[in-house]
């Protein structure tokens, strides 16, 4: 069976230790109440790229077919799609590989950050370390995102220095806390930050979470 964690270049010995996060508890009621929420197509095109990178084109095609998407996974970077489709794709990858849903989301988040360094080098390149980048997500990075994608609705990311740890809080109307966790881990890995990344709290549906970078 394919082991999707073979994305070894994102998980070297220098990658910060990631404490196990509790799985998202998906709610049928939540999905029904928030069915109108959409996600920018670039997240979907990168998710397909993640599958291809992890297992090759045949694996990606099989996962997309198993997900039962209305368009077969032919995503456009500039369009918008229901957030539930991303969940269906990751669930299909989980069934195919036996990997935990939350683990795949976190691996995708780490992969996505590395892709952002390629797609948006002028944004990521402004920062010398992970802490500086995370501290300016709200006032700089998300403002740049809105210029590139005027209809973007980025999550809220709040960073607070608490002495021996840096607390990072995620809040969104999309239940992507595990992806956010992976993005933070990806930023730490990219900048060579060797601190541990601890999962502190999360809402039941995964729309809010708090992490801590600790020594």
């Amino acid at each position: 069976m394919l082991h999707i964690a073979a994305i070894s270049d994102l998980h070297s010995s220098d990658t910060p230790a990631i404490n196990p996060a509790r799985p998202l508890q998906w709610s049928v009621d939540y999905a029904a109440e928030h069915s109108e929420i959409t996600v920018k197509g670039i997240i979907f095109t990168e998710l397909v790229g993640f599958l291809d990178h992890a297992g090759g084109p045949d694996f990606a095609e099989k996962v997309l077919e198993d997900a039962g998407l209305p368009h077969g996974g032919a995503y456009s970077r500039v369009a918008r799609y229901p957030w539930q489709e991303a969940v269906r794709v990751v669930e299909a990858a989980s069934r195919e590989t036996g990997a935990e849903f939350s683990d795949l989301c976190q691996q995708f988040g780490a992969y996505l950050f590395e892709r952002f360094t390629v797609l948006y080098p002028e944004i990521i390149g402004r920062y010398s370390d992970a802490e500086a980048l995370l501290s300016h997500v709200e006032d700089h990075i998300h403002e740049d995102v809105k210029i590139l994608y005027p209809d973007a609705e980025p999550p809220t990311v709040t960073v607070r220095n608490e002495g021996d740890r840096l607390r990072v809080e995620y809040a969104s109307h999309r239940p992507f806390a595990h992806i956010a966790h992976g993005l933070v881990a990806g930023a730490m890995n990219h900048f060579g930050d060797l601190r541990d990344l601890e999962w502190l709290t999360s809402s039941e549906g995964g729309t809010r979470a708090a992490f801590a970078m600790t020594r």
Side-chain angles (χ1 to χ4, degrees):
M1 177 179 291
L2 172 71
H3 187 214
I4 212 166
I7 310 178
S8 56
D9 55 324
L10 297 182
H11 298 276
S12 68
S13 58
D14 293 332
T15 304
I18 301 175
N19 292 352
R22 72 177 182 184
L24 294 179
Q25 302 297 314
W26 293 107
S27 165
V28 173
D29 292 337
Y30 178 89
E33 292 171 6
H34 298 80
S35 59
E36 78 289 352
I37 297 173
T38 58
V39 179
K40 199 69 180 173
I42 187 172
I43 300 301
F44 289 90
T45 57
E46 292 303 326
L47 179 55
V48 174
F50 168 69
L51 297 174
D52 185 77
H53 180 78
D58 290 342
F59 169 73
E61 184 177 349
K62 191 175 191 309
V63 169
L64 294 173
E65 181 179 357
D66 183 44
L69 304 170
H71 42 70
Y75 291 110
S76 165
R77 180 173 293 187
V78 297
R80 300 186 69 92
Y81 304 92
W83 66 267
Q84 293 92 336
E85 290 191 16
V87 172
R88 287 163 63 180
V89 171
V90 178
E91 285 177 337
S94 178
R95 288 192 297 270
E96 178 66 20
T97 64
E100 290 291 333
F101 178 92
S102 56
D103 290 344
L104 293 179
C105 286
Q106 288 170 196
Q107 289 184 43
F108 171 56
Y111 169 87
L112 189 59
F113 184 86
E114 282 303 311
R115 287 290 298 149
F116 286 165
T117 68
V118 174
L119 295 170
Y120 311 114
E122 69 285 355
I123 296 177
I124 305 299
R126 295 175 187 165
Y127 305 99
S128 60
D129 55 49
E131 187 166 332
L133 182 145
L134 293 168
S135 297
H136 289 91
V137 167
E138 281 299 302
D139 57 357
H140 291 165
I141 296 176
H142 281 172
E143 291 306 312
D144 288 336
V145 169
K146 290 176 183 177
I147 292 173
L148 292 170
Y149 305 103
D151 61 341
E153 301 173 273
T156 299
V157 178
T158 305
V159 176
R160 183 167 66 250
N161 195 311
E162 297 182 335
D164 61 344
R165 70 182 189 182
L166 188 75
R167 183 184 180 95
V168 182
E169 297 180 351
Y170 161 89
S172 175
H173 50 289
R174 305 178 186 92
F176 290 166
H178 282 283
I179 296 176
H181 186 274
L183 281 163
V184 175
M188 295 172 69
N189 185 54
H190 177 77
F191 288 104
D193 192 315
L194 301 182
R195 284 177 286 184
D196 292 340
L197 179 58
E198 179 185 356
W199 187 289
L200 299 177
T201 63
S202 68
S203 62
E204 184 177 4
T207 57
R208 307 178 72 88
F211 323 117
M213 295 163 58
T214 61
R215 300 193 183 278

